[in-house]
Amino acid sequence: MADEGTGSTGRVVVLVLPEVNLLDLAGPVQVFDTAAFLGAGYRIEHVADAERVATAQGVSLAGLGALPQVAAGDLVLVPGPRLREHREPYVSETVVGWLRAAAATGARLASVCTGAVALGEAGLLDGRRCTTHWSLVEAMRARYPAARVQEAVLYVHDGPVSTSAGVSAGVDLALSLVERDHGPALTTAVARELVVYLRRDGAGEQISQFLRHRSHLDSAVHRVQDHLAGSIDAAHTLAELAEVANLSPRGLSRAFTAATGITPLEYRQRLRLERAMSLLRETSLPVDAVAVRCGFREGRHFRRLFKARYGGPPSEFRRETG
């Protein structure tokens, strides 16, 4: 199920632009395809305003669908094309009109690397924080002065519009979108399947708590970490976690601390607080509801822990990042 705060339909409409860069296209699509293979309800469509598109790397893509009507909660993904100096327009008027119509219906939009220019040409970055490939930052600031172009970040979410930096950052963006839709357990499984790191944007920690303490080889501890991530709101006991690891409670405590540097219950608390941070930023759930969704049985206790870790109350964090 998609996260109730995102309104995702699971439909991913990939807009293939002329001279699209293959990695900008294939990386994010691989993330959504892997998530679907692991149980997420993603349905991927590749569309263009022509039946055949030549990529920047010389491979021609055929059998592309026509630009479809999209609905609220669909995700329109725009991989980055190779931009040639003095060649305009960057995208056709047909594509500009289609993107504007998609936004008007309530679709979510995400661009990879230079794909941000398509959203910029459609006016969809006006007043929004966004990012792109480092070499294009100044040009975008000049061409789209109403856009709030950020640099030195992997990706940016601003309402229904998401943008990423160059090439491999599209994978990070796609993982972040999967996490918004389906939570951290599935996203961690996708990242591990693809053998990539699960990273955050420049506004937060670069390495997620879900992978920060995973660079060890203890399979029993990995099983416990997977269990905690997959049932983040459950009231785990050390004895229950020891059964998952097939160890005694004392043996689990020793093994877990040796592998990660923290105890199992401290790890659980960090997972819960990071998940709470995502829900506060990406949904409109009340703070007390966020607390319950993350396994905190009492809102006051959650507020105290959140403030101690992040330096301010949940309500303040939501105002600053919303």
Side-chain angles (χ1 to χ4, degrees):
M1 292 291 291
D3 190 290
E4 65 188 54
T6 70
S8 170
T9 64
R11 185 187 186 199
V12 181
V13 182
V14 184
L15 174 62
V16 183
L17 296 172
E19 290 199 79
V20 66
N21 285 297
L22 283 174
L23 189 54
D24 287 2
L25 170 67
V29 168
Q30 185 77 46
V31 170
F32 291 112
D33 179 72
T34 302
F37 180 77
L38 294 176
Y42 288 116
R43 306 174 306 282
I44 303 169
E45 305 173 22
H46 294 84
V47 306
D49 63 350
E51 290 186 4
R52 179 184 293 268
V53 170
T55 69
Q57 287 70 40
V59 176
S60 290
L61 304 177
L64 302 170
L67 300 178
Q69 186 172 1
V70 297
D74 289 351
L75 173 63
V76 174
L77 178 67
V78 188
R82 175 173 289 167
L83 300 180
R84 297 188 182 272
E85 206 172 348
H86 308 306
R87 181 183 291 182
E88 294 186 24
Y90 288 138
V91 292
S92 69
E93 285 299 319
T94 300
V95 166
V96 166
W98 181 73
L99 288 171
R100 287 173 178 165
T105 64
R108 303 183 297 165
L109 298 108
S111 67
V112 179
C113 194
T114 56
V117 300
L119 303 184
E121 295 296 292
L124 302 177
L125 300 180
D126 291 355
R128 295 189 185 280
R129 291 176 296 109
C130 59
T131 195
T132 186
H133 190 273
W134 61 266
S135 66
L136 195 61
V137 167
E138 292 305 323
M140 280 197 46
R141 286 172 175 165
R143 189 174 180 90
Y144 314 118
R148 298 160 57 193
V149 184
Q150 314 287 297
E151 57 186 325
V153 295
L154 291 171
Y155 55 85
V156 177
H157 297 301
D158 193 327
V161 177
S162 303
T163 51
S164 82
V167 195
S168 62
V171 172
D172 300 299
L173 173 66
L175 287 168
S176 176
L177 291 167
V178 171
E179 182 175 353
R180 296 172 82 188
D181 292 343
H182 294 279
L186 178 68
T187 310
T188 301
V190 172
R192 292 182 67 190
E193 185 75 17
L194 298 179
V195 198
V196 297
Y197 286 108
L198 183 61
R199 293 183 284 186
R200 294 293 181 185
D201 63 23
E205 296 181 351
Q206 289 291 306
I207 305 296
S208 167
Q209 295 297 333
F210 294 96
L211 289 185
R212 178 175 291 277
H213 301 284
R214 303 296 295 253
S215 58
H216 60 83
L217 300 178
D218 192 320
S219 59
V221 174
H222 277 306
R223 287 199 302 275
V224 172
Q225 290 175 302
D226 289 341
H227 181 73
L228 288 169
S231 54
I232 203 165
D233 61 340
H236 311 95
T237 65
L238 187 60
E240 174 201 341
L241 297 177
E243 289 184 9
V244 172
N246 197 26
L247 295 169
S248 69
R250 187 176 178 181
L252 171 61
S253 292
R254 284 200 304 264
F256 201 100
T257 302
T260 68
I262 57 177
T263 68
L265 298 185
E266 183 179 356
Y267 180 74
R268 180 188 67 179
Q269 181 173 295
R270 293 188 184 188
L271 297 187
R272 288 176 169 180
L273 288 172
E274 183 167 292
R275 180 58 177 156
M277 208 167 47
S278 294
L279 290 175
L280 289 167
R281 184 168 49 223
E282 310 298 351
T283 78
S284 58
L285 290 169
V287 171
D288 284 345
V290 168
V292 171
R293 287 277 295 274
C294 297
F296 297 102
R297 303 309 176 192
E298 202 272 315
R300 184 166 54 184
H301 178 60
F302 162 63
R303 288 175 172 85
R304 185 169 64 252
L305 291 174
F306 192 95
K307 184 175 182 179
R309 181 155 186 82
Y310 299 115
S315 56
E316 180 180 305
F317 173 83
R318 170 170 274 167
R319 282 195 304 271
E320 291 178 350
T321 62

